[in-house]
Amino acid sequence: MLFQVQMDVRLPHDMPAEQAESLKKTERERAQALMRNGQWRHLWRVAGRYANVSVFDVSGAEELHQILSTLPLFPFMQIEVTALCRHPSSIREDDR
């Protein structure tokens, strides 16, 4: 199943810079591993915000929740999830 996930990150203003950088580095490594294995298909930055719009390809809502809840920045995110399905007019055969 495909899911669109919008993640808005809100780190505390008083978080030490070293801690924030460490979290961001660990998050980047985890996201790239998920992209390499095909679960995190697309990652798009939202211009002007510390936010992204992503597409995940997972077995269902439970797997998506498990992945999202283990992201290092999860405690600092506001997340919106939308289930997606292939549009009949799409010309891309790899959309499922």
Side-chain angles (χ1 to χ4, degrees):
M1 286 185 75
L2 296 179
F3 292 91
Q4 173 190 302
V5 179
Q6 180 162 332
M7 296 176 245
D8 290 274
V9 181
R10 297 193 174 108
L11 294 176
H13 296 294
D14 60 349
M15 178 180 281
E18 303 81 32
Q19 182 182 358
E21 289 308 313
S22 177
L23 274 172
K24 291 175 190 179
K25 179 180 184 281
T26 307
E27 179 84 11
R28 181 174 44 257
E29 292 167 354
R30 174 78 171 124
Q32 290 174 349
L34 290 164
M35 285 183 254
R36 279 190 286 280
N37 77 20
Q39 291 172 297
W40 197 325
R41 282 182 69 176
H42 299 279
L43 173 60
W44 297 95
R45 179 183 307 263
V46 177
R49 294 179 18 216
Y50 190 7
N52 73 75
V53 175
S54 296
V55 175
F56 285 81
D57 188 357
V58 293
S59 62
E62 187 172 329
E63 182 181 9
L64 177 65
H65 178 74
Q66 189 273 333
I67 289 170
L68 295 175
S69 65
T70 61
L71 293 175
L73 290 174
F74 179 77
F76 308 103
M77 290 182 184
Q78 179 177 336
I79 298 173
E80 292 183 30
V81 176
T82 304
L84 302 173
C85 59
R86 187 177 192 282
H87 194 284
S89 297
S90 176
I91 63 170
R92 304 212 180 269
E93 293 301 319
D94 67 340
D95 292 342
R96 341 179 216 131

